[in-house]
Every structure is written in C-alpha cells, then in structure tokens.
Amino acid sequence: MVNTSSDDVLLNDTTHIEEIITRHLWTYVGCMIIIVGTLGHFLSITVMATSRSFRIQCSTVYLITMSISGLLPLYTGLLRFVIFIGVSGWEHDLRDTSDAVCRFHMTITYASLQYFAWLQATVAVDRLISVAVPHKYAMLFSWRSGLAVVIIQLLAVVGLNMTVTFTVGFNENGYCAILKKSYFENIWTYIDLLSFSLVPSTILMVCNSAI
C-alpha cells in the first residue's frame, strides 16, 4: 500500500523549499539588479551632465533621457515583483493598492519600456546622421532640437499608452486586472509589440548596419 501521508509531507516540504528559494532569489538578486542599475544610470547622467565635451551635444540629451527612463522599469516593474514575491510572499501586490494605482502603474510600466526602446532607436538615427553629414549635423542639431525630440516622443508614447489606462482596473474581486480582455489580447498586444520591439529594433539594425 502506498503511504499517501508521507508522500504529501514530502511534496509539501519540496514546495516549501522551492517557495523559499524563489523568494530569496527575487529579494536579493532583484535588489542587487536595482542597486547596480540605479548606480549605473546615475553615473551616466552625472558624467554626461558635468562633462564639457558632452554638454552641448544633441546626443547628450538623448542619452541622459534614456538613463532617466531606464530607471522607471526598475522601480515600476522589478521592484513590484521584489515586494510582491520576495518580501510579502505573494501577499501584497502594489497594483492592488487602489484602482488609480492599478491603472497608473500598468500604464507607466508599458510606457517607460516603449519610451526607452524609442530612445535607443533615436540614438542610432542620431549617430547615423552625425556620420553621414557631420558638418550639417553640427549646424542643425543642438541640444534644443534634441530636447524637442524627446518631449515629442514622450507625449506620443504616453498618448499611445493611455488606452491601457482605460482597459485595466479593479475587477469584481477587488484585484488589479485587465477589464477589456478582447481589446488587450487582440489589439493592444500587437500595438505593444510594434512600439516596444519591432519598429525600434528595425530602425536600430538599419542604422547600425548603415554606419
């Protein structure tokens, strides 16, 4: 006869150990990534903002903005899982704090990732122009034009991701969830794929290949 009780105890012990390992990985590795990423981005911002050779360049605006936007996924995406899995053990999700937090957090997470991808593509285009027409680049592209570009991109990305704000929220159980699943799965998935990955990466590859 199979000893069911001992098998259940062994299964429970194994599951408990796996949960502990998972929580420790999310807590310590996640925190390490956040710390290293934050220091790296702040170091990049400091060097580019204080160096005389970088201060007047159009590309400096792109790189500083990219470093700032790179901080957002660390604190909206990774930190959420560190708290949810590592610290609280799947008990407290930041998105379940309120309906407003749910909508804002999901919107800013998608928007920050897409914005970072578009800034990478912009840096690639900037490099291509500076190599192809260096004299015109120096005359036409200043830090002001770079600032205008990043602001326009920010407004475009935020506007695009406002649709997320109106498709998520608290469900009947009081948890943050996708309320309009048909739109999210059939339309938004492809919009996010194009804006976050396909279009920026295509621009990046074309520009890098042309240099």
Side-chain angles (χ1 to χ4, degrees), residues 7-8 49 54 66 68-70 84 87 93 107 155 159 189 193 211:
D7 290 342
D8 291 339
F54 280 114
M66 192 164 66
I68 295 173
S69 66
F84 178 50
V87 177
D93 190 348
T107 303
L155 294 175
T189 300
L193 177 64
I211 295 176

Side-chain angles (χ1 to χ4, degrees), residues 11-66:
L11 180 61
N12 291 333
D13 290 341
T14 304
T15 304
H16 182 63
I17 293 173
E18 290 176 353
E19 290 180 355
I20 293 175
I21 294 174
T22 301
R23 290 185 62 183
H24 284 176
L25 285 174
W26 275 106
T27 301
Y28 297 111
V29 178
C31 287
M32 183 177 66
I33 293 173
I34 291 173
I35 292 171
V36 173
T38 302
L39 291 176
H41 284 304
F42 271 113
L43 182 62
S44 298
I45 295 169
T46 302
V47 170
M48 288 182 289
T50 57
S51 175
R52 291 182 179 272
S53 59
F54 280 114
R55 195 174 300 173
I56 60 174
Q57 295 182 14
C58 180
S59 58
T60 306
V61 178
Y62 301 144
L63 294 173
I64 291 176
T65 307
M66 192 164 66

Side-chain angles (χ1 to χ4, degrees), residues 95-96 102 106 167-171 175-181:
R95 290 181 178 176
D96 294 333
C102 169
M106 289 194 71
T167 56
V168 300
F170 270 19
N171 58 18
Y175 293 106
C176 183
I178 300 169
L179 301 180
K180 299 180 181 179
K181 291 186 178 181

Side-chain angles (χ1 to χ4, degrees), residues 101-175:
V101 171
C102 169
R103 294 174 185 270
F104 176 78
H105 190 275
M106 289 194 71
T107 303
I108 201 68
T109 300
Y110 278 105
S112 61
L113 291 170
Q114 292 177 21
Y115 190 49
F116 187 83
W118 278 106
L119 286 170
Q120 287 182 309
T122 304
V123 171
V125 173
D126 182 76
R127 288 179 57 221
L128 177 61
I129 296 174
S130 66
V131 171
V133 285
H135 299 295
K136 290 184 178 180
Y137 175 83
M139 291 187 296
L140 298 176
F141 295 92
S142 65
W143 67 268
R144 290 182 179 86
S145 60
L147 184 62
V149 169
V150 298
I151 291 175
I152 291 172
Q153 286 182 328
L154 178 61
L155 294 175
V157 170
V158 171
L160 178 66
N161 284 270
M162 284 301 292
T163 56
V164 176
T165 307
F166 301 104
T167 56
V168 300
F170 270 19
N171 58 18
E172 62 275 8
N173 297 319
Y175 293 106

Side-chain angles (χ1 to χ4, degrees), residues 62-106:
Y62 301 144
L63 294 173
I64 291 176
T65 307
M66 192 164 66
S67 293
I68 295 173
S69 66
L71 291 169
L72 288 176
L74 289 176
Y75 289 94
T76 58
L78 182 56
L79 182 60
R80 174 201 168 209
F81 286 105
V82 170
I83 296 173
F84 178 50
I85 299 176
V87 177
S88 69
W90 295 274
E91 291 292 334
H92 303 290
D93 190 348
L94 178 64
R95 290 181 178 176
D96 294 333
T97 305
S98 68
D99 183 73
V101 171
C102 169
R103 294 174 185 270
F104 176 78
H105 190 275
M106 289 194 71

